[in-house]
Amino acid sequence: MSADLRNLTDVDRLIHEPARLLIATILAGVVSADFVFLQRETGLTKGNLSAHLSKLEEAGYVRIEKTFKGKLPLTVCKLTASGQKALAKYRQQLQDFMNKTS
Amino acid sequence: MDHDFNEIERRVRRYWFKDGIGEMVIGGLFVLLAIYVAGHQWLPVDSNAPLYLDGGLILILLLGIFLTNRLINVFKLQITYPRTGYVEYYPAKGEEFSAKVFIFLSFAGFVILVVGVGKWVGTFRWLPSVLGLLIGLTLIIVRLRAAELNRFYYLAGAAFGFGLGASLVNWLPQYTVSLFFALFGIVLFATGFITLRKYLRENPLPKEDAHER
């Protein structure tokens, strides 16, 4: 197996999963977003989104806080510094692979 | 692949414009500016009131920007967040203190330049055209950054057109600038209103408590 392909197998599997990759990419561009927004943008069911967020939270990639904006209860999600780093590394690995193989 | 990542980022950025609230509030601000500019002509010439009004322009603009932000947030809290969710964006580069000073100095420089050029040329009739050009270019930049917001191209066209049209009207400069602000403000408010109506139709308030995980 070439080094390029081996590098691709080293990608972070937690971020690599499409739904989680989408969640992380959405959160990377903002300070925070709430559960409703993430659900609408990803098209996932509540249970599914909740499960993926829990996995990201366990890995320390996402921080979840229950808060209020005025009287509106919100479940706010933020991508942590290690989440940002993991996503950036994943994107770089993918980009390198694409550059070398195309 | 990177193209897809960028598209997701643009889609999230577009969300701020989805409800048209920003356009409505900023449109209202333009109409108020139109009244402010025209108001100069209604004040007694022999009093100091026009002078105070000129001096207070920057304060009024800063207050306007502050109130606009507050008002947009209040409306979004009531209308947008319960329907399609809450997003907190990174502060724009212009919200840092050094950037605010730079914007303030640029604005002061622009006013001095406008007054200087106006006195040198002997007329201010070109002013609405320049304002239309600046506003139109800003709208095009917003459109390019967020993509798919084609109404911003039409609004940029309206800014160019109204600016040029107001410059051709043979009125006092204050009235032509006021005319430009009023026309553009009304159009901005109207497109915001249409966008908001479409948004409300497409996104009814969820019946259940959708905020619970």
Side-chain angles (χ1 to χ4, degrees):
Chain A
M1 194 190 288
S2 74
D4 295 336
L5 278 174
R6 211 173 304 121
N7 191 28
L8 193 66
T9 60
D10 286 343
V11 293
D12 187 337
R13 299 288 170 130
L14 205 93
I15 288 278
H16 183 61
E17 201 285 327
R20 289 196 287 270
L21 179 60
L22 187 55
I23 294 167
T25 307
I26 290 168
L27 291 176
V30 294
V31 175
S32 63
D34 82 335
F35 192 82
V36 175
F37 179 77
L38 287 174
Q39 200 190 339
R40 292 186 71 95
E41 285 299 306
T42 57
L44 296 168
T45 62
K46 273 186 196 176
N48 225 337
L49 175 60
S50 193
H52 285 302
L53 280 173
S54 295
K55 281 189 179 160
L56 288 167
E57 191 181 25
E58 278 165 27
Y61 290 170
V62 164
R63 200 168 60 241
I64 302 168
E65 288 167 15
K66 294 227 179 211
T67 183
F68 280 87
K69 189 91 182 159
K71 287 179 181 171
L72 187 71
L74 298 172
T75 303
V76 173
C77 309
K78 292 179 185 182
L79 198 65
T80 62
S82 64
Q84 296 269 9
K85 209 170 148 187
L87 181 66
K89 188 182 171 193
Y90 175 83
R91 284 180 68 166
Q92 192 58 54
Q93 281 174 311
L94 227 58
Q95 194 62 54
D96 289 346
F97 178 76
M98 298 291 275
N99 290 344
K100 283 170 188 167
T101 52
S102 59
Chain B
M1 192 72 195
D2 221 40
H3 171 78
D4 294 338
F5 284 120
N6 293 340
E7 177 45 33
I8 292 167
E9 283 165 6
R10 274 201 298 268
R11 208 172 66 197
V12 175
R13 222 177 283 149
R14 252 191 329 261
Y15 178 66
W16 194 88
F17 302 97
K18 192 176 175 164
D19 51 20
I21 288 172
E23 284 151 82
M24 283 177 73
V25 174
I26 295 168
L29 184 72
F30 268 103
V31 173
L32 288 177
L33 257 177
I35 296 167
Y36 169 86
V37 174
H40 271 62
Q41 294 305 114
W42 307 329
L43 293 168
V45 184
D46 53 347
S47 76
N48 284 332
L51 202 66
Y52 293 139
L53 216 54
D54 280 339
L57 176 63
I58 291 188
L59 275 180
I60 288 167
L61 277 177
L62 288 175
L63 195 70
I65 291 165
F66 173 75
L67 286 178
T68 303
N69 270 334
R70 299 280 302 195
L71 215 55
I72 290 171
N73 278 332
V74 167
F75 284 132
K76 280 189 180 282
L77 190 59
Q78 297 294 325
I79 298 167
T80 316
Y81 302 154
R83 285 177 168 79
T84 48
Y86 166 77
V87 174
E88 184 185 348
Y89 293 92
Y90 283 109
K93 281 177 185 156
E95 286 178 30
E96 292 158 18
F97 181 74
S98 57
K100 274 182 184 163
V101 171
F102 176 75
I103 290 168
F104 181 82
L105 291 176
S106 302
F107 180 76
F110 177 71
V111 171
I112 292 166
L113 187 75
V114 162
V115 172
V117 171
K119 287 196 170 166
W120 181 55
V121 179
T123 177
F124 284 92
R125 284 186 63 179
W126 47 271
L127 190 52
S129 295
V130 173
L131 289 171
L133 193 69
L134 288 175
I135 292 168
L137 289 175
T138 308
L139 288 165
I140 288 171
I141 291 168
V142 171
R143 162 64 183 78
L144 293 176
R145 271 176 58 80
E148 280 187 28
L149 291 167
N150 286 337
R151 68 181 189 272
F152 279 72
Y153 278 146
Y154 300 123
L155 284 170
F160 294 144
F162 290 148
L164 197 65
S167 288
L168 296 174
V169 176
N170 199 16
W171 288 352
L172 285 170
Q174 286 92 329
Y175 284 142
T176 57
V177 171
S178 177
L179 177 70
F180 166 71
F181 282 153
L183 288 175
F184 183 68
I186 290 166
V187 168
L188 199 58
F189 186 89
T191 58
F193 182 73
I194 293 164
T195 308
L196 180 63
R197 271 191 59 177
K198 186 170 173 267
Y199 170 80
L200 290 175
R201 214 173 32 242
E202 289 172 358
N203 301 286
L205 203 59
K207 287 191 180 91
E208 53 175 338
D209 189 2
H211 296 276
E212 290 302 314
R213 279 174 67 200

